[in-house]
Amino acid sequence: MKVIVVKNQLEGGKIGLELLKESMANGAKTLGLATGSTPVEFYNQIVNSDLDFTDMVSVNLDEYVGLDGSNDQSYRYFMTKHLFGEKPFKENFLPNGKAADLEAEAKHYDQIIEENPIDWQILGIGQNGHIGFNEPGTSFEAGVHVVDLKQETIEANSRFFNNDINLVPKQAVTMGINDIMKAKHIILLAFGEAKQQAIKSLIEGEEITENIPCTVLKNHPSVYVLVDKEADFQ
């Protein structure tokens, strides 16, 4: 695990872009992508770059249950706004949060991941240490699954829903920890003081525990952790 402390989210985005360029130059064809405020500057850097994604495939981490791509709080809408609308890919995959049978959708998405092995995975991290929407207590062996979001996650995400927790979906379809760990390379971004404790558990804590999902990344052979000074616990 390599930890890089950056001045701010802008510098983190720039370094993330350089890591991506290196991976693509080495043959990466499938990107695992994340949403939320954390990767926005990284996507801005991609959009303003000369990178060509027309031969690339993307596989997103998750999607809210009950929202489709026309909803401006859905992750498909987010990805189209911040990346796909500016940088066309060969193909983009996201879970279908409006599927009539969510368990069947989870199995279908696991098959998509199996058919498109992820070369380079971008991750954010929750205040409680979740990665994707794999909340504390999620099995490290879990594949794609439907998750009931923890109250702290709902509260943290309410800022995207006019600060009204009643508007935040209570479930999501998420890539499992086992899926995330299959990626060849993982780049985790963490910005802001609220992420300090989770980052400390990942970097300094000795325990690898399902109660703090991010700690599983200690077992991965190729992880970059990009943190700003506020998220850095040292």
Side-chain angles (χ1 to χ4, degrees):
M1 184 183 299
K2 184 173 182 179
V3 180
I4 302 174
V5 180
V6 299
K7 289 184 292 186
N8 50 36
Q9 194 165 347
L10 175 60
E11 185 180 18
K14 290 179 177 179
I15 293 175
L17 178 65
E18 293 307 310
L19 292 172
L20 175 58
K21 285 181 176 178
E22 180 182 351
S23 192
M24 289 174 66
N26 290 329
K29 291 293 182 183
T30 303
L31 306 183
L33 301 179
T35 52
S37 59
T38 297
V40 167
E41 186 54 49
F42 169 63
Y43 293 146
N44 287 342
Q45 294 297 316
I46 291 178
V47 167
N48 293 319
S49 76
D50 59 0
L51 288 179
D52 180 8
F53 292 94
T54 54
D55 196 36
M56 303 286 287
V57 173
S58 72
V59 184
N60 258 72
L61 280 167
D62 41 32
E63 179 60 280
Y64 283 121
V65 168
L67 303 187
D68 62 22
S70 66
N71 188 301
D72 64 4
Q73 293 303 326
S74 74
Y75 288 161
R76 181 173 290 278
Y77 187 101
F78 175 99
M79 293 306 305
T80 300
K81 176 182 177 182
H82 290 285
L83 184 60
F84 300 157
E86 301 290 337
K87 290 284 188 179
F89 282 64
K90 178 180 179 181
E91 197 162 11
N92 304 119
F93 294 105
L94 291 91
N96 178 8
K98 292 279 284 186
D101 186 336
L102 291 172
E103 296 300 331
E105 172 61 16
K107 291 179 181 178
H108 171 65
Y109 205 66
D110 249 333
Q111 185 64 33
I112 288 172
I113 296 168
E114 189 169 330
E115 293 171 355
N116 298 275
I118 295 170
D119 297 304
W120 198 91
Q121 175 71 58
I122 192 84
L123 289 179
I125 187 171
Q127 295 179 29
N128 61 9
H130 74 236
I131 48 177
F133 270 131
N134 293 285
E135 298 281 17
T138 303
S139 169
F140 287 160
E141 301 304 315
V144 179
H145 59 286
V146 180
V147 60
D148 295 323
L149 302 181
K150 297 287 188 182
Q151 184 64 23
E152 57 262 39
T153 299
I154 293 170
E155 291 173 357
N157 287 359
S158 66
R159 68 188 187 278
F160 302 116
F161 293 83
N162 298 318
N163 292 312
D164 186 347
I165 61 172
N166 296 312
L167 297 178
V168 184
K170 305 304 186 287
Q171 290 184 309
V173 180
T174 186
M175 193 183 293
I177 292 175
N178 188 47
D179 300 307
I180 292 170
M181 291 294 285
K182 289 178 181 177
K184 292 179 184 176
H185 305 285
I186 294 174
I187 289 76
L188 186 145
L189 306 176
F191 306 121
E193 187 177 353
K195 305 298 177 72
Q196 263 190 23
Q197 187 56 51
I199 290 299
K200 183 175 182 179
S201 297
L202 171 61
I203 296 171
E204 193 176 70
E206 297 181 2
E207 190 176 18
I208 298 175
T209 171
E210 293 175 350
N211 291 325
I212 310 174
C214 65
T215 58
V216 72
L217 298 178
K218 294 174 183 288
N219 291 332
H220 195 282
S222 179
V223 176
Y224 283 84
V225 181
L226 276 58
V227 299
D228 66 2
K229 294 177 181 178
E230 284 72 30
D232 183 26
F233 61 90
Q234 297 177 338

